[in-house]
Amino acid sequence: MNVTVLCGGESLERDVSLASGHEVARSLARAGHVVALHDPAAPSPCLYDSEIDRGLVPTAPVAPAPPAAPLGPDCERRMLADRTGGETFARMARSDAVFLAFHGGRGEDGHVQALLEMGGVPFSGAGSTTCALAWDKALTLRLLAVAGIAVPAQRIVPAAATTATAAAGLIDVGPVVAKPLTGGSSVAVSVIDTAARLDEHVAGTAETLVVEEFLPGREYAVAVVDGVPLPVVEIETPEGVDIFDYASKYQPGGARETCPADVAPRVADEMISAAVEAHALLGFASAHSRSDFRCDASGRPRLLEVNALPGLTPTSLLPLAAVAHGWSYDELVTRILSALS
């Protein structure tokens, strides 16, 4: 096939997306596809083309921390202009398929997916509606809770708020986790233990936040690919790190990730069942997803969020689970490509 891999983009997860895109492009070339690697937000969007076939594409590193601030309007303008009428658009029009290796921003929230749907271009991953649902953490958790899936208690703090009065009931009983309503890779996620610190955090944030009860138990992830649940992954963060943060995810010597997880069969079955149900409920169908879990004090897992475009870097959880299931990285990429939207 003639495949365009899209990665990079304008989000704070840009480094991670570039790392995923490079790995995917190399994998597709090994499988015999004609591959081009594009970053629509870059001044020169075509990163690699014929170089892929000659094995000259390097591994893209992920910096120890995400960018300290949004990448700016120029990056967003390039992202929109190039994917609707520029070099990337022309390349996609000539492609048999587009492989989406975006994480965050317009590449994961349904916008790029909607443009591809309107253009009749087949692409990997879920459709625009499913991506938009999964992108909104609060909406996802409400839908899952109505379906009877165990989720953490949460409150929404609007972007215009200067105090966290809406979350007072949670902070009164223990620490909370504050995170942006949208986004991934644990960017701007904080554990907060007092009402005063929560108010300070809210006052310094210009976006809507989800404030959840802090769950002190073990952390897990379950991926589903084309309806097939993969083995449970356990994540153990370094000593002194309360959450699976950006550095723990992408830096050597970060979190310890074990798959299959050393967990009671009953607990593993509960998480797998919840991940499969969430996958179906949000409309992923034959696409791939990854559900993240953390246990409460009693050891019961709660579903934290569902990722529409989980990472495909060398240290990502989905490739780790695929290997435990018996699939190589190349087999995983081939399966994702074969389930086109």
Side-chain angles (χ1 to χ4, degrees):
M1 297 175 67
N2 189 326
V3 184
T4 301
V5 179
L6 297 186
C7 63
E10 88 295 357
S11 86
L12 296 181
E13 298 175 72
R14 174 180 174 80
D15 277 5
V16 184
S17 175
L18 287 167
S20 287
H22 280 65
E23 291 300 317
V24 167
R26 287 145 54 103
S27 174
L28 291 171
R30 286 193 295 267
H33 300 292
V34 177
V35 186
L37 183 64
H38 275 238
D39 174 8
S44 298
C46 183
L47 304 179
Y48 297 98
D49 199 332
S50 60
E51 294 93 336
I52 295 174
D53 297 327
R54 292 186 281 128
L56 300 180
V57 178
T59 298
V62 178
L71 300 178
D74 287 345
C75 198
E76 287 215 25
R77 277 196 294 270
R78 286 195 298 265
M79 178 81 171
L80 175 63
D82 187 63
R83 70 178 187 251
T84 53
E87 184 180 339
T88 300
F89 179 83
R91 183 61 173 75
M92 291 190 303
R94 300 193 303 269
S95 299
D96 298 314
V98 169
F99 195 111
L100 296 179
F102 285 126
H103 305 311
R106 300 305 189 193
E108 193 170 352
D109 68 0
H111 278 80
V112 168
Q113 290 80 1
L115 288 169
L116 292 169
E117 287 165 353
M118 287 188 287
V121 179
F123 59 93
S124 67
S128 58
T129 301
T130 294
C131 288
L133 284 173
W135 188 238
D136 186 319
K137 295 181 177 67
L139 179 56
T140 295
L141 292 186
R142 285 199 294 272
L143 290 170
L144 299 181
V146 168
I149 296 173
V151 300
Q154 60 164 300
R155 303 287 188 275
I156 304 301
V157 179
T162 55
T163 65
T165 52
L170 292 180
I171 195 69
D172 288 346
V173 298
V176 295
V177 176
K179 57 178 128 177
L181 178 69
T182 60
S185 292
S186 298
V187 174
V189 177
S190 301
V191 179
I192 300 170
D193 58 0
T194 69
R197 287 184 181 142
L198 183 57
D199 282 344
E200 183 180 347
H201 183 81
V202 168
T205 303
E207 58 186 315
T208 299
L209 296 175
V210 179
V211 178
E212 297 175 350
E213 61 176 321
F214 175 74
L215 302 172
R218 296 159 71 181
E219 189 157 348
Y220 303 95
V222 178
V224 180
V225 179
D226 196 11
V228 178
L230 304 187
V232 178
V233 181
E234 180 173 4
I235 301 110
E236 298 176 74
T237 56
E239 186 173 352
V241 179
D242 292 326
I243 57 174
F244 190 32
D245 62 11
Y246 191 91
S248 298
K249 288 184 177 187
Y250 303 115
Q251 297 306 306
R256 179 185 175 192
E257 298 156 355
T258 306
C259 188
D262 182 14
V263 60
R266 173 188 57 80
V267 178
D269 289 345
E270 183 177 348
M271 287 189 286
I272 290 171
S273 177
V276 169
E277 186 174 357
H279 183 94
L281 181 66
L282 295 177
F284 281 93
S286 62
H288 58 295
S289 72
R290 193 195 74 230
S291 293
D292 297 336
F293 297 84
R294 188 150 176 151
C295 292
D296 60 20
S298 70
R300 186 186 184 193
R302 309 275 188 92
L303 205 164
L304 303 177
E305 59 185 84
V306 181
N307 298 272
L309 287 176
L312 290 166
T313 75
T315 61
S316 293
L317 300 177
L318 175 54
L320 175 65
V323 169
H325 185 69
W327 299 341
S328 68
Y329 185 92
D330 289 351
E331 288 174 300
L332 171 64
V333 169
T334 295
R335 286 176 180 273
I336 291 172
L337 182 65
S338 67
L340 294 172
S341 294

